[in-house]
Each structure stands twice: as structure tokens, then as C-alpha cells.
């Protein structure tokens, strides 16, 4: 069967809408499974809270929220983080609640109260680069690059932090900082003394989070690479879906149970086989492409400076906040 160009273009459009049933079905199963697992984890978190095992409770709530975001989970998570002194994280959870809770929800007042209560307890740190520091100076807070957030007052949880400053041709400088509850601190940093010509200092901080040798691809780069593979996979699924559709048409033209023409029967069999093979390939490519695209997006979106990771009833979806913030 010869397929006109206009018909083929229509087919491509239809395939774009209908070529991924297997992926959609798999995603539906995953969502249902995630919700069930998230509910079990939420209940485990509540049980750990009642036992005052807050570290365990926070871990359960966080995993539950990852699997199936729900306002109640985040409210409980914020409350849990507050109990272990992570006031900046808890404060951000409550702030997220305000944007997630429906108008008139009685938990809105609770979240606003907690925001106000914690606001003055959250420490803030501003890191500035001293005058004369090289333009290519890199600054890290613990293992988090912060060169892009210099001169900005950032909310942080109370505790000790290491500020690492590096620049080619200079010694690495390490500055220890400790933030107390409610403290606002500004520090000025720069690399250490200039190295003698010809000396070769191995970068210590620049490789953190990027592989042991510091020369590997960044998380964002890997995200784009994996995402590109995903796009290619979905493109393959689209192409194979089109082939399957064309072969289905050929089979319809040649398949006749009452026909005695062996040539037509052979064409019917070949078209059916090719169509089934193409359809299977399209399903597999769509699933793999969708997964790769999702992983790539996750790697890009989570490659941030310092992501911060609310007791509010026993319900996940109707007793309680969604959040994802960056410090």
C-alpha cells in the first residue's frame, strides 16, 4: 500500500498522541504504587514522632513526600525538622505550605503562625569576596558551590560550616564559620597566598560532588546527556509507531481470510509481523525514553547550591504542604 504524504503527516500527529500507551499505563501503576508506599512511610513517620525518634521520623516523612507529595506530609516534616533544630528547613516548609494550602484551609493559620515564630530564629550568612581576588575564584560552603550566591544573605540551619576558597595559582583557603540560632553573620573571604611559579596545587574542593578526580561531568551536564538520550528514545518510539501504523494499513489491504492468492497471503503475514515488531519496539523505546528524560530532568533540576530539605493532624492529603526550596 502506498501512503500519500498528507496521510503520513496525519499519522505522525496521531502517533504523537497515541504512540505511548505502554508508558502511560506503566506510569499509572507507578503512581498507585508510590501512593501506597508513601502512606506506609507517612504512618511510620508518625509512629517515630510519637516515640520522639525525630531523625527516623524525618527520614520517613521525606521519603513519603518524595514518592507522593502531600500537604500533611510536609507539615509533619517541618515539625520534625524543627524538633531537631533545623529551623531554616522547617521555616521553608511552612512557607511552602502557605502556597499549597487551599483558601480557607484551617491549617493556613497554623503555617503562618510557625513562619512568624521561626523567622527570627533562622541564622543567615553572607559570604563576600575580598577586593583583589581573582575573577575565577571558586567558593564552596562545605561541599556546595556558592560562587553564584556571593553577597547574598542566605538562610541556613544553625551549626558549623567550612568555607573553601580556591583560585588557580593560589593556595586553598579554609574558613570555619559557626552560626547560632538567630545569628546574622557576614564574612569576607579570598584565596590563600600566591604560589611560586611552576608549582602545581591539586584542587581539593572543586572535585567535590563531581567525582574523585574533579574532572568528571557535572550533574547538570549528565542531566542534559541523559535527557538527550530520552529525547532520542521518544523520537525512535514515534518513528516505530508510524511504521506500525503503516504496516497495519498494509495488512488491512492484503489480509482476506477467503483469499486464495498466495502472494497476498504472504504480504498479509509479512505486514502483520513487521507491524507487531514495530509496535513492540515503539513501546519499549517510549518507556526507556520517558525514563531517561525524567532522570535527565531530575538531574538538572536538583543540581542546586544547597537544597533545604510541618504536628498537624493525621492526614496526608487533607490534613496538612508541599515544598522544594533552595538556600
Amino acid at each position: 500500500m502506498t501512503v500519500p504524504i498528507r496521510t503520513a503527516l496525519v499519522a505522525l500527529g496521531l502517533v504523537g498522541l497515541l504512540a505511548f500507551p505502554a508508558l502511560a499505563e506503566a506510569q499509572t501503576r507507578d503512581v498507585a504504587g508510590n501512593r501506597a508506599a508513601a502512606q506506609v512511610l507517612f504512618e511510620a513517620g508518625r509512629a517515630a514522632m510519637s516515640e520522639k525518634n525525630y531523625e527516623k521520623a524525618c527520614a520517613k516523612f521525606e521519603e513519603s513526600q518524595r514518592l507522593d507529595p502531600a500537604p500533611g506530609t510536609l507539615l509533619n516534616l517541618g515539625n520534625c525538622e524543627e524538633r531537631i533544630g533545623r529551623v531554616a528547613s522547617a521555616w521553608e516548609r511552612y512557607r511552602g505550605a502557605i502556597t499549597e494550602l487551599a483558601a480557607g484551609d484551617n491549617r493556613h493559620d497554623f503555617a503562618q503562625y510557625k513562619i512568624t515564630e521561626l523567622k527570627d530564629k533562622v541564622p543567615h550568612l553572607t559570604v563576600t569576596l575580598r577586593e583583589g581576588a581573582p575573577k575565577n575564584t571558586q567558593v564552596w560552603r562545605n561541599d556546595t558551590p556558592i560562587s553564584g550566591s556571593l553577597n547574598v544573605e542566605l538562610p541556613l540551619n544553625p551549626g558549623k560550616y567550612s568555607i573553601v576558597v580556591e583560585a588557580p595559582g593560589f593556595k586553598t583557603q579554609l574558613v570555619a564559620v559557626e552560626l547560632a540560632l538567630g545569628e546574622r553573620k557576614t564574612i569576607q573571604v579570598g584565596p590563600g597566598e600566591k604560589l611560586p611559579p611552576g608549582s602545581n596545587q591539586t584542587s581539593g574542593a572543586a572535585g567535590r560532588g563531581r567525582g574523585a578526580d574533579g574532572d568528571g561531568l557535572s550533574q547538570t551536564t549528565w542531566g542534559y546527556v541523559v535527557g538527550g538520550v530520552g529525547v532520542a528514545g521518544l523520537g525512535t518510539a514515534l518513528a516505530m509507531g508510524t511504521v506500525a501504523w503503516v504496516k497495519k494499513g498494509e495488512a488491512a489491504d492484503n489480509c482476506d481470510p477467503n483469499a486464495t492468492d498466495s502472494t497476498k497471503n504472504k504480504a498479509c503475514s509479512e505486514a502483520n509481523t513487521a507491524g507487531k515488531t514495530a509496535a513492540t519496539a515503539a513501546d519499549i523505546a517510549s518507556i526507556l525514553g520517558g525514563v531517561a528524560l525524567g532522570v535527565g530532568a531530575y538531574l538538572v533540576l536538583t543540581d542546586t547550591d544547597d537544597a533545604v530539605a510541618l504536628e498537624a493532624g493525621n492526614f496526608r492529603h487533607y490534613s496538612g504542604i508541599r515544598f522544594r526550596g533552595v538556600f
Side-chain angles (χ1 to χ4, degrees):
M1 181 184 75
T2 301
V3 181
I5 294 177
R6 184 171 62 181
T7 303
L9 291 175
V10 172
L12 287 174
L14 290 174
V15 170
L17 295 174
L18 305 175
F20 312 120
L23 178 60
E25 182 179 350
Q27 289 176 331
T28 300
R29 290 196 301 268
D30 288 345
V31 168
N34 285 349
R35 285 180 176 171
Q39 182 62 42
V40 171
L41 287 163
F42 176 80
E43 292 169 358
R46 293 286 298 177
M49 285 289 288
S50 66
E51 298 169 357
K52 302 187 185 303
N53 189 342
Y54 301 125
E55 293 283 355
K56 178 180 178 181
C58 287
K60 300 299 183 185
F61 288 139
E62 192 162 10
E63 180 63 8
S64 176
Q65 176 67 11
R66 186 188 69 81
L67 291 174
D68 183 28
T73 308
L74 278 171
L75 286 168
N76 280 272
L77 178 55
N79 178 57
C80 179
E81 289 176 322
E82 185 180 353
R83 300 292 184 92
I84 58 177
R86 294 178 56 84
V87 292
S89 299
W91 180 63
E92 195 60 47
R93 304 288 186 184
Y94 292 126
R95 290 178 65 197
I98 295 298
T99 64
E100 295 295 325
L101 296 173
D105 193 308
N106 57 10
R107 294 167 296 173
H108 191 281
D109 290 342
F110 168 76
Q112 185 59 63
Y113 169 78
K114 297 303 294 183
I115 291 171
T116 303
E117 181 186 43
L118 292 177
K119 182 179 179 180
D120 293 333
K121 297 181 180 180
V122 176
H124 289 73
L125 177 65
T126 304
V127 179
T128 66
L129 204 57
R130 73 164 180 252
E131 187 176 353
K135 292 183 179 180
N136 54 357
T137 298
Q138 297 295 312
V139 184
W140 299 67
R141 183 182 62 246
N142 294 348
D143 290 334
T144 301
I146 60 170
S147 299
S149 58
L150 295 175
N151 306 311
V152 178
E153 187 178 60
L154 301 178
L156 296 171
N157 289 309
K160 297 180 179 180
Y161 297 90
S162 294
I163 307 301
V164 180
V165 189
E166 293 186 337
F170 292 82
K171 286 187 176 180
T172 297
Q173 184 74 2
L174 177 64
V175 180
V177 181
E178 184 169 5
L179 294 174
L181 206 64
E183 184 176 12
R184 306 182 98 94
K185 184 175 289 187
T186 298
I187 63 170
Q188 188 176 78
V189 300
E193 64 184 48
K194 192 173 182 61
L195 293 170
S199 60
N200 183 20
Q201 177 180 262
T202 302
S203 174
R208 296 173 186 171
R210 308 297 182 186
D213 58 3
D215 293 327
L217 295 178
S218 69
Q219 180 175 320
T220 295
T221 302
W222 274 116
Y224 284 122
V225 171
V226 176
V229 173
V231 171
L234 294 179
T236 300
L238 184 64
M240 297 309 296
T242 302
V243 172
W245 182 84
V246 171
K247 291 300 179 181
K248 181 178 179 180
E250 289 182 4
D253 285 351
N254 291 284
C255 293
D256 183 354
N258 299 317
T260 58
D261 186 342
S262 59
T263 302
K264 274 196 119 180
N265 287 336
K266 181 179 180 182
C268 167
S269 176
E270 289 176 349
N272 272 326
T273 300
K276 289 178 181 179
T277 300
T280 300
D283 285 344
I284 294 173
S286 67
I287 293 174
L288 295 178
V291 170
L293 194 60
V295 171
Y298 175 82
L299 290 174
V300 172
L301 294 175
T302 57
D303 192 14
T304 57
D305 277 358
D306 193 7
V308 293
L310 272 140
E311 201 145 46
N314 293 311
F315 310 99
R316 298 183 61 244
H317 289 279
Y318 56 96
S319 173
I321 177 171
R322 186 176 181 178
F323 153 80
R324 195 167 287 246
V326 176
F327 284 168

